[in-house]
Amino acid sequence: MKRYLPIFIVIVFLALSCNRKVVNSYDSIRFVDDLLNDSLPAMQKLASAAGKSDGSIFLVGEPLECLSLSEEMMVFDGFDNVDARQVKDGLPDFAGETIVSLLDFANAPYDSLYPGEAGKLALREVAVRDALAAIDSSIRCKVIILCSSELAENGGDDISNFFEQIGCDVPVIYSTDSAFSYSETCFRIMREKNLFTHKIAYPVADLLMTVKSASTKPFETVSFEDRLVPSSFADTVGVFAPNTFVSYVQNKHKP
């Protein structure tokens, strides 16, 4: 009987190996764990529809930072659109693209509303919820840029890990470096992953916003409306981002 023991051990070992699950070692937040445990098929369905070349670039975070980057990307010309050489060619680098600003009025400003360790944890959840709103939008998402150093520091890795877990191919661009060029990085990533629409048209801007929710959710995402902008906001969107606002209005009333 003893001569068969090694074979038995090998069989058991192989059986256990076949049934072993890959465990993600990232220390995720409870909100993400709950999504993965309770809503994984729904999350995977959202992921399967995102990250396609016909989607839109989402700028998510502090309203002023989103609007500032949107203004830059609407006219950004740092590359040759044909061969991607870093020279101007007189054509916006994001020609044919839709740039969606998801203005997080419900949670910003992050630095004053979320102090301390509890605040960092809260911000991690806000970041994931904002990213989830982007891929769950009726406007299909192909790239997410976090327009906030606070969100980048306290939620960027959470989003990346969450997307990896649900099989979402949407690149998430974030940095805490004030000198970081989101426009250049976005262009290079979209070029590398062949995410450009290749349409011959000027970039188009769209606007979404978060608002406090009356339901069990902490906030909801809706189409932008001036009347919903908090009174604490310094000025109108049209003043801060004229190119973005004009494009949004024209696109909204397009026949």
Side-chain angles (χ1 to χ4, degrees), residues 88-101:
K88 298 178 182 294
D89 64 357
L91 182 68
D93 289 338
F94 296 99
E97 303 301 325
T98 298
I99 302 167
V100 182
S101 294

Side-chain angles (χ1 to χ4, degrees), residues 1-250:
M1 178 66 183
K2 287 185 179 180
R3 61 179 179 172
Y4 296 107
L5 186 58
I7 297 176
F8 173 75
I9 292 174
V10 170
I11 293 173
V12 171
F13 175 78
L14 290 174
L16 290 174
S17 298
C18 292
N19 288 294
R20 184 179 299 157
K21 295 181 179 179
V22 176
V23 179
N24 189 300
S25 61
Y26 186 82
D27 187 16
S28 58
I29 57 176
R30 181 173 179 178
F31 176 64
V32 168
D33 291 338
D34 288 345
L35 287 174
L36 296 176
N37 290 329
D38 303 334
S39 308
L40 182 57
M43 296 298 101
Q44 291 173 327
K45 184 176 181 180
L46 290 177
S48 67
K52 306 294 193 299
S53 62
D54 61 349
S56 301
I57 304 166
F58 270 70
L59 316 182
V60 176
E62 289 268 10
L64 285 180
E65 293 187 39
C66 289
L67 294 172
S68 177
L69 182 57
S70 176
E71 286 293 280
E72 176 185 316
M73 294 180 73
M74 290 285 288
V75 297
F76 185 74
D77 180 17
F79 298 87
D80 186 300
N81 289 41
V82 175
D83 57 22
R85 288 180 300 130
Q86 198 164 0
V87 295
K88 298 178 182 294
D89 64 357
L91 182 68
D93 289 338
F94 296 99
E97 303 301 325
T98 298
I99 302 167
V100 182
S101 294
L102 201 171
L103 310 175
D104 192 13
F105 283 112
N107 300 292
Y110 305 122
D111 56 353
S112 62
L113 292 181
Y114 297 100
E117 290 302 317
K120 292 180 180 180
L121 186 62
L123 267 180
R124 292 174 67 185
E125 181 172 328
V126 166
V128 175
R129 285 186 180 275
D130 280 344
L132 184 57
I135 65 171
D136 195 20
S137 169
S138 58
I139 307 171
R140 296 176 67 180
C141 171
K142 64 181 176 184
V143 176
I144 291 176
I145 299 177
L146 297 186
C147 298
S148 162
S149 58
E150 287 89 357
L151 279 189
E153 181 178 0
N154 298 296
D157 292 346
D158 289 277
I159 298 171
S160 296
N161 176 68
F162 173 58
F163 279 6
E164 180 182 351
Q165 295 276 65
I166 64 175
C168 184
D169 293 329
V170 172
V172 184
I173 302 172
Y174 56 96
S175 175
T176 58
D177 182 359
S178 59
F180 183 79
S181 175
Y182 289 105
S183 296
E184 288 188 12
T185 302
C186 186
F187 179 89
R188 294 183 189 280
I189 288 176
M190 289 177 62
R191 186 85 181 190
E192 175 189 340
K193 295 182 176 294
N194 194 27
L195 288 176
F196 282 98
T197 63
H198 301 297
K199 293 179 181 177
I200 307 300
Y202 282 105
V204 171
D206 207 338
L207 294 171
L208 299 174
M209 64 190 299
T210 62
V211 295
K212 297 294 185 183
S213 175
S215 67
T216 56
K217 296 181 180 180
F219 61 88
E220 296 179 1
T221 303
V222 298
S223 295
F224 176 81
E225 291 188 40
D226 271 320
R227 65 180 181 84
L228 298 178
V229 175
S231 58
S232 58
F233 193 62
D235 212 323
T236 64
V237 169
V239 169
F240 283 118
N243 292 323
T244 297
F245 189 70
V246 168
S247 178
Y248 166 68
V249 172
Q250 291 176 342

